[in-house]
């Protein structure tokens, strides 16, 4: 797949690197340092990254979403996998929650694109570890949600490529639950004793 990265920081830089290693064609974009983009690999403007892509990863701070979308240009028909959480400026809380979600607000901004919410429930620090362990049978889970079946298949493939077991949580409005869940994971990762290399796994009993 051709993957355009919008926001090449902790999440976008790592996920893009992993997908490139997994064999995808990745174009990084949107960082303040050109040098940083160069080090990551093939790079361009957000417009170049998005227009050439089959799927776009949105990985910027909530306060930068409008700017990067404007720079990316027309995203009609594109699959947007978003890991962006609707955090306030100092990252202490969600600015959208309960009656809507960042993912739904994003979908309203780009009504002709197909938004899938994924990767926001794990810290960036765990991504390379999960990728290295991808051949093990016990994989960590990763929840994702969206309204378009084909886009969700694409997102699930990218989730598998990182080494997670994709868990379809349903339509995009379920991001109202996955986004606060992401804050729980962040609490455990950054305030807990075990460090930030944390993933989670759902298990079913009784079958
Ligand atoms: N980090 C995590 O573990 C994690 C986990 C789950 C969800 N998320 C969510 O994922 C999203 C991305 O988080 P992140 O931690 O990857 O953020 P980050 O490391 O700060 O990366 C954001 C990227 O946007 C770029 N950027 C910021 N302002 C810019 C500007 N004015 N012009 C051009 N580029 C600009 C940054 O450039 P520079 O590289 O030059 O700084 C960076 O490449 C956020 O919405 C966050 O809530 C993060």
């Amino acid at each position: 797949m051709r993957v355009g990265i919008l926001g090449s920081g902790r999440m976008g830089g790592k996920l893009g690197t992993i997908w490139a290693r997994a064999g995808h064609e990745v174009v990084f974009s949107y960082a303040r340092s050109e040098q940083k983009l160069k080090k990551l690999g093939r790079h361009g403007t957000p417009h170049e990254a998005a227009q050439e892509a089959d799927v776009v990863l949105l990985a910027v701070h909530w306060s930068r979403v409008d700017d990067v979308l404007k720079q990316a240009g027309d995203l009609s028909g594109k699959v947007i996998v978003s890991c962006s959480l609707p955090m306030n400026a100092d990252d202490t809380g969600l600015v959208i929650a309960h009656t809507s979600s960042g993912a739904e607000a994003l979908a309203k901004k780009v009504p002709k694109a197909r938004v899938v919410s994924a990767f926001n429930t794990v810290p960036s620090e765990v991504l390379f570890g999960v990728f290295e362990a991808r051949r093990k049978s016990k994989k960590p889970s990763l929840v994702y949600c969206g309204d378009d079946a084909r886009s969700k298949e694409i997102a699930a493939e990218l989730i598998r490529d990182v080494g997670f077991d994709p868990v379809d949580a349903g339509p995009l409005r379920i991001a109202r639950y996955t986004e606060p869940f992401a804050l729980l994971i962040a609490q455990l990762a950054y305030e807990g004793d075990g460090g930030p290399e944390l993933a989670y796994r759902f298990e079913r009993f009784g079958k």
Side-chain angles (χ1 to χ4, degrees):
M1 274 189 254
R2 292 171 304 173
V3 187
I5 307 288
L6 300 179
S8 298
R10 281 163 291 199
M11 294 299 285
K14 286 176 189 166
L15 286 170
T17 300
I18 287 169
W19 289 328
R21 284 187 198 162
H24 297 293
E25 258 180 64
V26 177
V27 179
F28 294 92
S29 77
Y30 206 70
R32 280 158 293 200
S33 133
E34 168 91 22
Q35 206 52 34
K36 185 172 174 177
L37 287 176
K38 230 182 211 168
K39 264 195 206 153
L40 285 167
R42 215 179 131 205
H43 63 281
T45 63
H47 188 259
E48 286 161 349
Q51 298 313 315
E52 290 175 17
D54 305 307
V55 49
V56 164
L57 175 77
L58 182 70
V60 296
H61 191 271
W62 192 246
S63 58
R64 308 303 315 170
V65 168
D66 288 338
D67 183 55
V68 79
L69 289 178
K70 197 169 145 213
Q71 291 192 37
D74 186 12
L75 295 174
S76 300
K78 299 268 182 206
V79 179
I80 303 179
V81 174
S82 174
C83 71
S84 293
L85 289 166
M87 301 302 289
N88 59 13
D90 57 7
D91 281 325
T92 52
L94 294 164
V95 294
I96 304 172
H98 191 55
T99 54
S100 187
S101 60
E104 289 165 279
L106 170 66
K108 282 200 181 130
K109 290 177 194 286
V110 281
K112 289 183 180 153
R114 294 156 197 179
V115 175
V116 181
S117 175
F119 296 106
N120 50 6
T121 55
V122 286
S124 67
E125 287 85 349
V126 82
L127 296 171
F128 283 128
V130 171
F131 183 62
E132 272 149 34
R134 67 194 177 282
R135 304 209 202 284
K136 291 193 180 158
S137 58
K138 257 194 176 185
K139 294 184 197 319
S141 307
L142 192 96
V143 291
Y144 67 107
C145 58
D147 291 334
D148 178 67
R150 177 71 196 120
S151 312
K152 287 173 79 173
E153 278 170 25
I154 290 170
E157 192 181 330
L158 290 173
I159 292 168
R160 266 185 224 104
D161 286 340
V162 180
F164 291 101
D165 178 23
V167 175
D168 184 350
L172 200 63
R173 67 178 165 74
I174 301 302
R176 295 173 194 190
Y177 313 139
T178 61
E179 290 174 4
F181 172 66
L183 271 66
L184 167 66
I185 300 294
Q187 169 69 19
L188 296 174
Y190 301 118
E191 307 296 332
D193 295 331
E197 287 177 45
L198 175 74
Y200 56 90
R201 209 165 94 89
F202 295 115
E203 301 213 16
R204 289 196 187 273
F205 290 81
K207 271 192 183 173

